[in-house]
Amino acid sequence: MSASLSSASSVSPSAPATGAAPTQADLLDFVRRTAADTDLIASLPLDPEGRTWVRLEGPAGSEAWLIGWPPGSGTGWHDHAESVGAFLTATGELKEYSLATRLPTDGWKTLELSEGVDRERRLPAGKGRSFGRDHVHEVLNESTEHHAVSVHAYYPPLPRIRRYSRTGQVLRLEQVERPEDWQ
Ligand SMILES: [Fe+2]
């Protein structure tokens, strides 16, 4: 397939399936540019009862989302399997709790984490992060009053999401979601 240069995008003009995969930096650049589109951010319907989302076209075949977070909402602990990704807060503020370790891929149901692997970061509007494969985290809007809106991108498109419960240092695998569960 020949590439089109019809848009002013910074995406490389190679074919998405076999061309250069977007890097974490590319995804972070995309979420930053998208979050700056105030009309788009304002167009996301918000719901005080739960998160809302709209699928976006990510760069070079990546999967992207606009997500609205009412006060007190969160994702629970999860990972993104082999995908790398980036997300950035457009409005409001998010908090990310993450693990500075990679989990064994398969073959376990509970795992006791060692001390010192927990990380947390505050992501006010305009602040984001990228992450590599097997990144484990939980993202929350801890505000009691304000919604938050964020932009997310993943490459390759999420093959699965593993969801965990956590009690102290013990993670328990609760569920594996596949694309048909969220598309
Ligand atoms: Fe995530």
Side-chain angles (χ1 to χ4, degrees), residues 140-164:
L140 301 166
N141 177 6
E142 294 183 337
S143 169
T144 54
E145 312 169 51
H146 301 294
H147 272 80
V149 175
S150 56
V151 185
H152 303 245
Y154 310 93
Y155 188 87
L158 294 169
R160 58 182 180 154
I161 294 178
R162 294 190 296 182
R163 295 197 173 277
Y164 309 100

Side-chain angles (χ1 to χ4, degrees), residues 78 80 137 154:
H78 65 278
H80 322 82
H137 71 174
Y154 310 93

